[in-house]
Amino acid sequence: MAPIEDHALIGDMHTAALIRRDGALNWLCLPQFDSPAVFAALLGSDEHGSWTISPTPTSDSAGSLRADRRRYRGNSLILEQEWDAQGSTVRVIDFMPPRQLPATPNTPVVIRIVEGIAGRVRMRSSLRARFAYGRILPWLHQITTADATLRTTAVAGPDSLWLDTPASTTPEQLAEHEFTVAAGERVTFALTWRHSHLAPPGVPDSEASLALTEEFWSDWVSQCTYQGPYRDAVVRSLITLKALTYAPTGGIVAAPTTSLPEDIGGERNWDYRYTWLRDAAITLSSLLRTGYREEARAWREWLLRAVAGDPENLQIMYSITGQRELNESVLDWLPGYEDSAPVRVGNGAASQLQLDVYGEVVEALYLAQMTGLGRSDHAHLLQLRLISYLEEHWKAPDEGIWEVRGPRRHFVHSKVMAWVAVDRTIKLIEQTETEGPLERWRALREEIHADVCEKGYDPERNTFTQYYGGHELDASLLLIPQVGFLPADDKRVIGTIEAIQRELSTEDGFVLRYPTHDESGNNVDGLSGHEGAFLACSFWLADDLAMIGRVQEARELFERLLSLRNDVGLLAEEWDPRLKRQVGNFPQAFSHVSLIDTALRLAACVGVISGYDVRENAFGLSGRTDTRTVTVAGVAR
């Protein structure tokens, strides 16, 4: 099976598809991110759903051919792959028109354009649609329209797909096309999803949709205010975050996939097609600091709807529409990516208690207010109610940021983020007309701070620990200076950074989240197997190194992390240092957000960024109200 990083992403801000380098589209959920997959070969075989367009294999090639080149067209989500064969060249252009554009269909459409570049190339298109995550074989037939056009349709239950192409087929193989494309010729394929009980969709205008899609992405990227070093990497990450945003609600999925393994062949396989409050809150910060206020405003409105009426029972994640029930189940007919089972849909961690989420949400609301997003009375009320809940519950043990499926503990990061929630609310009251019991909450802030410093710190080793009374380390401790809990030059902060480098770093300098096994080899998080280096944590280490003045070391680590991206700039959740490959769901919002944050911090180290101080936390938590454009003077990459 192809490596995870062999895939590229296309999408329409409602759902997204993954396309391999051999031209196989092998993951797509329709009509939205968390719908059942129509193409699920990513977690099984081609028989579980795939759509391949590539040169016809010759006697000299076995099976599918990998593209010789691929790239995104400029700063867009339009994928171009090229194959060279015996002096001839062919290009396949893949994209999904954004549904919010007035001149494009308000329904999911995948458009694939085969373009002859040089000579003549024999091509094939093989469409195998399998609804319900590869379980249901649809009824395939052709319909003749009023203008005598033949349309191929696949129907199963409530779903239908409509394939429109001038390429010829046969009655025996309606989803198979073989054709020759010569230099200057273009052959289009458009696949449209539709509820099966509705009238057939219109035939997409592929060429017009291509022009509109390219214009959409060009206009969107032009809003980016960041002009510093590593801009190409930052912009590609921003495009990826935009692609993972569900346009109708503003919810941001952690990734468009489920069950890509953190441990190849193991059970650490989770469904990430939901909106984690933590990930989305940090994404909001990155969007705000790079000029994207409308996306940040849409997420704030999504949050207020999702938690409306019951903020005391805040979940760590919701569906992209704000639904709470995310029941976890296993799809036992899918073998999993490289036999990594089980394949899960839904996520049982939704019901976990993770106190750190309160801090991330409150911080996001505070940052939105302080950076000029606009006052929201509902957001202020929510923030005050969340603090009232924390006031009564911050001393409770929880499952922590990493959603361990073991016993609840007093995780240090959870307590630190409870402190953040109280601290930002105090600052909101001090800096705005918001009212609240200021003196009581100041006392609470001091109480939490003293509790963490007493119970979460090991003076003999000069490091904070994963949980109260524990010995293990945790990469989330790297956020202590970034959220302003302690200054970067505090000896306890420096000691923690150096301890994590010694005990949680791989030979490449990348960072594990926490040790998955104790000194006796026993599993500590309720799961078997191991996991790779967590990419977001590795970016956090680069942030911390920059904050304590080790800027060159931070830059070198950051550039090693950039080298892990695939050829089109995408990152999964983790990096397996043993197999030297990406693992986990792909592409991962958390990884790309962290890339953006670290790039901005390093830019501050070598130039001047308005409204940003390298010594502050990654999310602008000092309470400043500077909203000027983020620029860097005199810096070249």
Side-chain angles (χ1 to χ4, degrees), residues 5-8 19-21 67-72 79-82 566-568:
E5 56 266 38
D6 204 44
H7 295 82
I19 299 177
R20 283 195 317 239
R21 195 167 184 136
D68 294 281
R69 293 171 299 281
R70 67 174 180 175
R71 60 186 174 271
Y72 285 113
L79 179 67
E80 297 181 338
Q81 300 197 108
E82 294 180 357
N566 71 359
D567 56 315
V568 290

Side-chain angles (χ1 to χ4, degrees), residues 107 158 160 162 193-201:
T107 190
S160 69
W162 293 79
W193 177 90
R194 186 82 159 173
H195 283 297
S196 58
H197 66 278
L198 298 178

Side-chain angles (χ1 to χ4, degrees), residues 449 453 457 462-464 486 490-497:
H449 196 279
C453 291
Y457 174 70
N462 187 30
T463 181
F464 285 93
L486 286 173
D490 188 288
K491 70 170 187 177
R492 293 165 293 184
V493 169
I494 296 173
T496 300
I497 295 169

Side-chain angles (χ1 to χ4, degrees), residues 38-366:
V38 175
F39 301 108
L42 181 67
L43 302 177
S45 68
D46 286 349
E47 293 303 316
H48 294 107
S50 67
W51 181 16
T52 300
I53 297 182
S54 66
T56 303
T58 66
S59 57
D60 297 330
S61 62
S64 298
L65 301 173
R66 286 171 53 84
D68 294 281
R69 293 171 299 281
R70 67 174 180 175
R71 60 186 174 271
Y72 285 113
R73 177 179 291 189
N75 289 323
S76 78
L77 209 62
I78 300 169
L79 179 67
E80 297 181 338
Q81 300 197 108
E82 294 180 357
W83 287 261
D84 298 327
Q86 298 177 340
S88 299
T89 300
V90 65
R91 175 185 300 148
V92 177
I93 304 168
D94 295 318
F95 66 99
M96 296 183 72
R99 288 185 230 176
Q100 59 264 47
L101 298 182
T104 57
N106 189 24
T107 190
V109 182
V110 177
I111 294 177
R112 314 189 73 178
I113 300 174
V114 182
E115 179 183 17
I117 303 300
R120 296 171 59 85
V121 181
R122 187 68 177 167
M123 299 290 292
R124 64 165 186 169
S125 169
S126 178
L127 176 69
R128 299 179 182 179
R130 300 292 187 269
F131 294 103
Y133 298 103
R135 195 175 192 179
I136 298 177
L137 182 69
W139 170 42
L140 203 64
H141 61 287
Q142 283 190 325
I143 293 177
T144 304
T145 64
D147 61 357
T149 300
L150 281 176
R151 307 186 73 186
T152 300
T153 182
V155 179
D159 301 296
S160 69
L161 292 173
W162 293 79
L163 178 63
D164 295 290
T165 179
S168 61
T169 186
T170 65
E172 294 78 22
Q173 292 185 314
L174 296 179
E176 302 288 330
H177 300 79
E178 290 206 12
F179 56 98
T180 298
V181 61
E185 295 179 345
R186 291 161 77 99
V187 179
T188 62
F189 293 79
L191 185 69
T192 306
W193 177 90
R194 186 82 159 173
H195 283 297
S196 58
H197 66 278
L198 298 178
V203 177
D205 185 332
S206 297
E207 297 292 350
S209 294
L210 175 62
L212 287 169
T213 301
E214 187 170 11
E215 181 182 9
F216 168 85
W217 285 109
S218 176
D219 290 346
W220 190 82
V221 170
S222 70
Q223 301 172 42
C224 178
T225 56
Y226 178 70
Q227 300 295 333
Y230 310 108
R231 188 176 190 274
D232 288 347
V234 169
V235 168
R236 178 51 54 190
S237 291
L238 286 167
I239 291 171
T240 304
L241 296 178
K242 178 66 171 176
L244 300 181
T245 302
Y246 184 60
T249 66
I252 303 169
V253 296
T257 56
T258 180
S259 300
L260 288 179
E262 299 167 8
D263 180 27
I264 299 293
E267 67 167 334
R268 297 172 181 265
N269 320 314
W270 315 108
D271 193 347
Y272 274 22
R273 298 171 300 153
Y274 304 111
T275 299
W276 267 254
L277 296 189
R278 176 188 306 109
D279 299 23
I282 298 173
T283 300
L284 177 143
S285 166
S286 293
L287 292 171
L288 280 172
R289 289 183 294 115
T290 50
Y292 292 101
R293 296 183 178 277
E294 288 308 312
E295 285 76 7
R297 182 175 289 108
W299 179 83
R300 185 175 69 177
E301 294 304 312
W302 173 90
L303 171 68
L304 295 175
R305 292 191 302 270
V307 304
D310 196 19
E312 292 82 5
N313 293 320
L314 192 71
Q315 292 189 180
I316 66 168
M317 73 182 86
Y318 298 82
S319 79
I320 50 177
T321 58
Q323 293 176 318
R324 290 174 172 266
E325 297 300 322
L326 307 178
N327 297 325
E328 185 173 298
S329 60
V330 171
L331 307 183
D332 56 11
W333 62 89
L334 287 173
Y337 177 85
E338 293 194 13
D339 295 321
S340 302
V343 171
R344 296 180 173 96
V345 295
N347 200 304
S351 60
Q352 288 187 352
L353 174 65
Q354 295 181 21
L355 291 172
D356 69 291
V357 171
Y358 290 81
E360 276 104 12
V361 170
V362 169
E363 161 54 22
L365 295 174
Y366 170 74

